[in-house]
Amino acid sequence: MTILVTGGAGYIGSHAAVELLNNGYDIVLLDNLSNSQIESINRIKELTGKDFPFYPIDLLNRGELETLFAKYDFKAVMHFAGLKAVGESVEIPLNYYHNNITGTINLCEVMAKYEVKKLVFSSSATVYGNPERVPIDESFPLSATNPYGRTKLMIEEILRDLYVSDSTWRIALLRYFNPIGAHESGRIGENPNGIPNNLMPYISQVAIGKREMLSVFGNDYETHDGTGVRDFIHVVDLVRGHLKALQYLENNEGIETFNLGTGTGYSVLDLINTFQSVTSQKIPYQFVERRAGDIGICFANPEKADKVLGWKAEKNLEEMCRDTWNWQRNNPNGYETSNDILLHEI
Ligand code: NAD
Ligand code: UD1
């Protein structure tokens, strides 16, 4: 059974590729390498001892996408490809709308043409906007406060419309909370370009000495210590949820939405303290103003995924910190290689 993984060279896609291969799936991996490095593909092969085709294709290139679908008999698609930086999306909104939305429409059109109608989509808890209360379940009202979030919201709606128009589609919309951590081998992990926007990559770059000090955005939220609270989830747990969703789509029709979170919220200071105690690295930090657009508390009610998919996050905050540090320590400069050598030609 061959699964197409879009965005498979990226942080979450590379972990999903390992999990799929380790569970007996064949994969074809597609990525335009706009936010990833080809070395991650080599590492996936090394970790699993399995080979697979990789195509440096852009979802915006409809012709190349069709050639790929003509060549392989895909059973389903895991769709990770997309741009994801909130701040950047405010600066260059048209790029975000074009890349994420047009890319997804192209993908779905080609899937429909080749009768591949099972899709697992990477959505985000950002579609809940500023939630009225926690824990957040899938029926909460949806909103978005920036172009990135709006692309996720719009794609969810486009996929619901697609299903209404053709009920042979089977679609899982997976709303991720805050994925952190890395594969326990330390061979693949998150490899942000430039200054990290997100908390965990920033902490680990302070730990390795690439950044001097962490700025904690706000200590006056209504939380147990005043800092923001999030539902951090280990990336390996997260991708296991994708395999469960894939199995679900094999047996069930329709379009379903699932929160992928642990159900537990930890604060920024909780994460810093746990990271320090697990790694014995000191993380200097200072409190600064709240970051514009941030919310105080966000954590999931993950019961639906448990009941319907039989999936639950298993890894704790210590493991998330340990594995992040293992990756960072072993790869202080990320994958470090250039994308010049491409592995396969279409
Ligand atoms: P990532 O940037 O590491 O991976 C995305 C990959 O998609 C990159 O390798 C990039 O090169 C590729 N890509 C982007 N546009 C493409 C295009 N037009 N054609 C082909 N490839 C393209 O990001 P990630 O953290 O692995 O996120 C994967 C997905 O999950 C994204 O859709 C993201 O929005 C979503 N998501 C991520 C988080 C998170 O915290 N990491 C949270 C919620 C949702
Ligand atoms: C961010 C995105 C969100 C996206 C999510 C997962 C913003 C405004 N939101 O959410 O759309 O879905 O990532 O990719 O960017 N923090 C610090 N110092 C830092 C970085 C973060 O104190 O240097 C704090 C934040 O204020 C927040 C917490 O850490 O309280 C988590 O931040 P982050 O990792 O950026 O994730 P989110 O804000 O949840």
Side-chain angles (χ1 to χ4, degrees):
M1 169 129 81
T2 306
I3 311 296
L4 175 64
V5 182
T6 79
Y11 171 43
I12 302 171
S14 58
H15 287 83
V18 167
E19 200 65 20
L20 284 164
L21 291 165
N22 283 343
N23 281 276
Y25 291 92
D26 292 322
I27 63 168
V28 170
L29 209 143
L30 170 165
D31 202 302
N32 68 358
L33 302 174
S34 59
N35 195 39
S36 49
Q37 282 170 302
I38 209 161
E39 176 61 14
S40 69
I41 316 265
N42 299 333
R43 303 273 179 100
I44 298 166
K45 292 182 179 177
E46 165 209 301
L47 277 177
T48 58
K50 292 186 179 153
D51 201 8
F52 55 85
F54 166 64
Y55 292 90
I57 290 178
D58 194 313
L59 288 180
L60 297 175
N61 188 331
R62 170 81 189 248
E64 287 190 354
L65 209 50
E66 290 218 21
T67 311
L68 193 65
F69 274 76
K71 186 163 175 171
Y72 294 95
D73 180 20
F74 296 126
K75 290 292 175 252
V77 177
M78 277 195 192
H79 177 31
F80 297 97
L83 298 174
K84 62 163 185 176
V86 173
E88 186 183 63
S89 81
V90 175
E91 284 158 26
I92 47 168
L94 297 183
N95 294 36
Y96 270 67
Y97 289 121
H98 189 47
N99 190 76
N100 292 2
I101 297 178
T102 313
T104 302
I105 292 173
N106 276 348
L107 176 67
C108 290
E109 283 178 349
V110 176
M111 288 174 70
K113 181 168 172 185
Y114 288 86
E115 289 289 328
V116 182
K117 292 187 180 173
K118 293 194 189 86
L119 176 65
V120 178
F121 173 64
S122 300
S123 187
S124 167
T126 196
V127 300
Y128 295 116
N130 193 350
E132 273 174 21
R133 53 179 201 285
V134 281
I136 301 167
D137 71 48
E138 290 83 353
S139 69
F140 272 39
L142 305 179
S143 68
T145 53
N146 55 69
Y148 165 71
R150 264 185 285 281
T151 68
K152 292 295 172 191
L153 206 49
M154 287 178 191
I155 293 169
E156 285 202 3
E157 284 169 358
I158 289 167
L159 295 176
R160 280 192 206 96
D161 287 340
L162 181 61
Y163 175 72
V164 169
S165 74
D166 174 357
S167 62
T168 62
W169 277 88
R170 298 173 179 216
I171 301 172
L173 307 175
L174 304 183
R175 293 180 181 153
Y176 310 164
F177 280 68
N178 289 59
I180 60 172
H183 190 268
E184 64 178 6
S185 63
R187 297 295 288 160
I188 56 173
E190 190 168 10
N191 187 31
N193 275 331
I195 302 170
N197 299 308
N198 298 116
L199 179 61
M200 188 54 135
Y202 207 105
I203 291 178
S204 63
Q205 290 199 3
V206 171
I208 202 76
K210 286 179 90 172
R211 317 261 158 221
E212 228 169 88
M213 182 175 306
L214 173 73
S215 292
V216 175
F217 300 141
N219 60 349
D220 56 353
Y221 286 106
E222 283 180 33
T223 61
H224 65 272
D225 58 22
T227 66
V229 164
R230 295 291 185 274
D231 188 336
F232 299 103
I233 174 168
H234 197 295
V235 65
V236 171
D237 274 335
L238 184 86
V239 299
R240 288 184 179 149
H242 289 63
L243 267 76
K244 292 286 189 180
L246 192 60
Q247 287 158 12
Y248 175 83
L249 297 185
E250 279 155 25
N251 302 313
N252 297 276
E253 293 174 350
I255 178 162
E256 284 292 342
T257 307
F258 299 98
N259 282 344
L260 295 186
T262 64
T264 304
Y266 287 104
S267 72
V268 174
L269 288 182
D270 291 335
L271 188 64
I272 295 171
N273 292 333
T274 307
F275 191 94
Q276 291 188 138
S277 79
V278 167
T279 65
S280 305
Q281 301 300 309
K282 180 115 190 72
I283 308 298
Y285 65 86
Q286 59 180 346
F287 293 118
V288 299
E289 290 295 295
R290 291 181 178 193
R291 180 171 65 182
D294 266 0
I295 57 176
I297 306 192
C298 176
F299 62 91
N301 174 342
E303 274 169 28
K304 182 175 174 191
D306 186 7
K307 274 195 202 118
V308 178
L309 302 179
W311 171 87
K312 241 190 213 168
E314 286 168 3
K315 293 177 183 283
N316 61 29
L317 204 63
E318 280 78 16
E319 292 168 287
M320 300 179 212
C321 292
R322 181 199 66 195
D323 293 341
T324 299
W325 180 231
N326 194 28
W327 152 253
Q328 181 72 75
R329 206 165 32 121
N330 287 310
N331 306 270
N333 298 311
Y335 290 116
E336 262 186 312
T337 48
S338 86
N339 283 330
D340 291 346
I341 309 153
L342 301 179
L343 297 180
H344 283 75
E345 292 297 330
I346 195 163

